[in-house]
Amino acid sequence: MIKKGDLVGWATYKSKPTPEELDDFGVVVSIFSVEQGSGFPVIKRISIAWRRDPDEAIDEYPFDWAEQEMETGALVILSRS
């Protein structure tokens, strides 16, 4: 399970990347829930500070997306906090 403080790596293709093949790496800044109100389910989200991302200092994604990307090997945990 991914958690705050983990160092993660990203590869744009769907395979098990080696550290040399990573497109970027960063740290998990936070994992949090967002209330939607009106009976809609709470959405779990993840924030990652990527080392090389020029557009955003911190990117935010649905937590389900991160879990799916980990299953395919595109998002990998490099070290645990």
Side-chain angles (χ1 to χ4, degrees):
M1 177 62 102
I2 193 167
K3 63 183 181 174
K4 180 180 175 183
D6 287 351
L7 182 64
V8 295
W10 171 255
T12 55
Y13 50 89
K14 306 293 184 208
S15 67
K16 301 272 185 194
T18 65
E20 296 79 27
E21 295 171 323
L22 292 174
D23 292 330
D24 205 350
F25 63 94
V27 66
V28 177
V29 176
S30 64
I31 296 173
F32 58 97
S33 296
V34 177
E35 294 275 341
Q36 293 193 42
S38 300
F40 289 99
V42 173
I43 297 175
K44 196 170 180 183
R45 302 206 38 99
I46 185 170
S47 296
I48 301 174
W50 295 109
R51 170 89 165 107
R52 300 180 189 134
D53 188 347
D55 299 326
E56 300 263 347
I58 298 175
D59 287 332
E60 189 177 296
Y61 310 97
F63 191 77
D64 291 346
W65 169 88
E67 288 179 322
Q68 290 170 355
E69 293 300 295
M70 287 178 64
E71 287 176 12
T72 65
L75 182 65
V76 294
I77 297 174
L78 302 172
S79 68
R80 296 277 184 187
S81 61

